[in-house]
């Protein structure tokens, strides 16, 4: 991988520490894109990085999709931006692999890779992505990683620390990494097979 764009407007919060490699007590409040940039350049000083430090909205998606990417890995965890991003990127013909929801899941053996998102099942986020993309006329078109495990009821709890959300979905430490490794593996193997 010689060039990469990282898109994220978030900063590290305490709740990220259990599952994000960049999230530590010492990095709370720092921009995730800057931390990722620093780490990636330390691994490969010759990589060309573009940082897109803006929230994904209908207005910012077009700016992000101006580049002719060889592959897109989508890990957006908010429904509306995810749906709009996938719709626009698919219609532009990009190769995409999308990570669905790891929240409220525990069993790593239930994580699956499918050749088309229409084949996902048992995932709350994937259900709504399929539903809203179908309304937009998109029924297929990109790969997806998801968990077929039934949601763990005990992983939903009241969020007393937020004015925006009344509840929080628990995410176990190892599942986001497994989802990410599936996505990375598929993207790299696809890129190699097209050379």
């Amino acid at each position: 991988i010689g060039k990469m764009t990282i898109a994220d407007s978030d900063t590290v919060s305490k709740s990220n520490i259990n599952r994000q490699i960049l999230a530590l007590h010492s990095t709370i409040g720092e921009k995730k894109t800057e931390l990722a940039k620093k780490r990636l350049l330390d691994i490969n000083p010759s990589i060309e990085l573009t940082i897109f430090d803006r929230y994904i909205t209908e207005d910012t998606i077009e700016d992000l999709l101006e580049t002719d990417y060889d592959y897109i890995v989508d890990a957006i965890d908010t429904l509306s931006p995810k749906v709009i991003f996938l719709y626009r990127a698919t219609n532009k013909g990009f190769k995409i692999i999308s990570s669905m929801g790891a929240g409220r899941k525990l069993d790593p053996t239930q994580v699956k890779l499918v050749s088309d998102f229409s084949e996902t099942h048992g995932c709350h986020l994937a259900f709504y992505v399929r539903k809203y993309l179908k309304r937009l006329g998109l029924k297929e078109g990109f790969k997806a990683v998801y968990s077929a495990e039934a949601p763990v009821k005990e992983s939903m709890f009241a969020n007393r620390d937020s004015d925006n959300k009344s509840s929080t979905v628990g995410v176990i430490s190892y599942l986001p990494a497994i989802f990410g490794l599936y996505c990375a593996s598929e993207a790299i193997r696809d890129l190699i097979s097209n050379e």
Side-chain angles (χ1 to χ4, degrees):
I1 307 293
K3 295 181 181 180
M4 185 182 293
T5 297
I6 304 167
D8 197 331
S9 66
D10 204 4
T11 57
V12 173
S13 66
K14 190 174 181 180
S15 65
N16 302 144
I17 292 174
N18 76 315
R19 66 186 184 280
Q20 296 178 12
I21 196 164
L22 302 172
L24 306 164
H25 287 280
S26 61
T27 62
I28 290 174
E30 293 186 42
K31 291 206 160 284
K32 291 180 181 180
T33 50
E34 288 303 318
L35 292 167
K37 178 181 179 180
K38 183 178 178 182
R39 182 175 174 83
L40 289 169
L41 286 171
D42 206 8
I43 293 168
N44 178 5
S46 63
I47 193 168
E48 293 180 38
L49 291 174
T50 300
I51 301 301
F52 191 87
D53 191 12
R54 293 169 23 193
Y55 188 74
I56 303 295
T57 65
E58 285 195 56
D59 296 330
T60 61
I61 287 171
E62 289 308 313
D63 293 339
L64 184 58
L65 294 178
E66 285 179 356
T67 302
D68 188 23
Y69 303 108
D70 293 321
Y71 218 95
I72 291 175
V73 176
D74 157 53
I76 300 169
D77 61 1
T78 306
L79 182 61
S80 181
K82 185 176 195 76
V83 167
I84 295 166
F85 179 80
L86 289 169
Y87 177 74
R88 297 250 181 97
T90 302
N91 282 335
K92 286 182 174 268
F94 287 111
K95 287 183 124 185
I96 305 166
I97 185 158
S98 181
S99 177
M100 295 296 149
R104 301 179 68 196
K105 311 285 182 147
L106 290 174
D107 185 355
T109 67
Q110 295 293 315
V111 179
K112 301 181 184 319
L113 167 70
V114 289
S115 59
D116 195 273
F117 80 98
S118 61
E119 301 169 33
T120 60
H121 60 89
C123 172
H124 188 73
L125 179 59
F127 170 80
Y128 283 102
V129 169
R130 287 193 320 272
K131 178 180 176 177
Y132 290 114
L133 285 175
K134 187 176 180 180
R135 285 184 185 171
L136 294 170
L138 186 65
K139 296 179 182 177
E140 57 186 22
F142 57 87
K143 295 179 181 184
V145 175
Y146 75 102
S147 172
E149 180 183 10
V152 177
K153 293 177 187 175
E154 295 79 13
S155 65
M156 195 79 157
F157 52 92
N159 189 354
R160 294 178 183 87
D161 299 328
S162 174
D163 295 331
N164 299 326
K165 294 180 180 179
S166 60
S167 63
T168 298
V169 174
V171 181
I172 194 74
S173 60
Y174 48 83
L175 278 185
I178 292 168
F179 277 58
L181 291 170
Y182 264 96
C183 288
S185 169
E186 189 65 14
I188 290 168
R189 287 182 294 132
D190 272 357
L191 289 168
I192 290 170
S193 68
N194 288 335
E195 288 185 351

